């Protein structure tokens, strides 16, 4: 074999080794990237998922049957002063896998009925600054029968 052929073979071997090294490096980077992608944030929805525009379809005076058709079965029902349907939901997220979840939003939609089973009032309760807050009327309810029922619901939903 001539000297030029030997030099050419060595160069080909070096080029082949360099290509394999590059391919191994690419595979390692892809593997690390895939592993890190599994650690990205997640969102969790628990409880009732409110259909878009559902509350607008329930006017004051609507029947209880209309509410059941639009909203579905309530999470719980109370008979405080007439009947009340509660639809309870919670949304939480965690930024990195294996970390604790952080509650982003909690909602209790309350639909109050009169003695004739007609909608008397709608309320969309949530947590704002740690207090139960009605997002429809923009008021914080005073303590009473209703708050004694809603406060444990929010405590039950939170994981803190």
């Amino acid at each position: 074999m001539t000297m030029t052929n030997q030099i050419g073979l060595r160069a080909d071997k070096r080029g082949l080794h360099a290509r394999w090294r590059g391919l191994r490096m690419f595979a390692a980077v892809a593997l690390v990237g895939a592993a890190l992608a599994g650690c990205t944030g997640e969102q969790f929805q628990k409880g009732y998922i409110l259909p878009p525009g559902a509350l607008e379809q329930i006017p004051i005076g609507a029947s209880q049957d209309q509410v059941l058709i639009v909203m579905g079965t309530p999470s719980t029902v109370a008979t405080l002063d007439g009947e009340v349907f509660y639809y309870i939901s919670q949304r939480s997220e965690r930024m990195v896998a294996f970390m604790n979840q952080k509650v982003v939003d909690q909602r209790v939609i309350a639909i109050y009925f009169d003695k004739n089973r007609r909608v008397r009032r709608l309320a969309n309760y949530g947590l704002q600054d740690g207090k139960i807050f009605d997002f429809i009327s923009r008021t914080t309810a005073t303590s009473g029968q209703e708050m004694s029922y809603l406060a444990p619901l929010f405590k039950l939903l939170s994981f803190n």
Side-chain angles (χ1 to χ4, degrees):
M1 198 177 256
T2 65
M3 183 72 119
T4 44
N5 285 345
Q6 287 178 352
I7 293 173
L9 284 174
R10 285 185 194 149
D12 284 344
K13 285 183 183 179
R14 281 189 214 134
L16 186 62
H17 286 302
R19 278 187 238 141
W20 276 109
R21 191 177 316 130
L23 186 60
R24 283 189 301 219
M25 182 65 86
F26 175 75
V29 168
L31 185 63
V32 168
L36 289 177
C39 296
T40 59
E42 298 175 279
Q43 288 193 348
F44 303 94
Q45 175 73 39
K46 298 173 188 163
Y48 182 77
I49 298 175
L50 180 67
L55 289 179
E56 290 79 21
Q57 296 179 29
I58 303 173
I60 302 299
S63 71
Q64 203 172 55
D65 290 335
Q66 286 174 306
V67 172
L68 288 170
I69 289 170
V70 172
M71 299 286 285
T73 305
S75 303
T76 188
V77 177
T79 54
L80 299 172
D81 181 25
E83 200 166 17
V84 184
F85 285 0
Y86 292 103
Y87 296 89
I88 304 165
S89 68
Q90 181 186 64
R91 196 167 39 102
S92 60
E93 64 183 23
R94 64 176 164 210
M95 300 310 283
V96 179
F98 311 112
M99 298 297 288
N100 290 332
Q101 295 178 19
K102 177 184 173 195
V103 175
V104 177
D105 188 29
Q106 290 185 134
R107 297 281 175 178
V108 174
I109 297 168
I111 302 175
Y112 299 89
F113 297 96
D114 60 15
K115 301 292 182 195
N116 297 324
R117 302 178 100 182
R118 297 279 177 190
V119 174
R120 180 182 66 196
R121 182 169 76 98
L122 294 170
N124 185 355
Y125 297 108
L127 286 179
Q128 183 170 339
D129 300 326
K131 297 179 182 168
I132 297 175
F133 182 83
D134 183 0
F135 287 93
I136 292 177
S137 66
R138 302 276 184 223
T139 58
T140 303
T142 59
S143 62
Q145 266 188 328
E146 186 178 343
M147 288 299 105
S148 65
Y149 184 72
L150 287 177
L153 284 175
F154 279 120
K155 286 181 185 175
L156 197 94
L157 286 173
S158 68
F159 293 102
N160 296 338

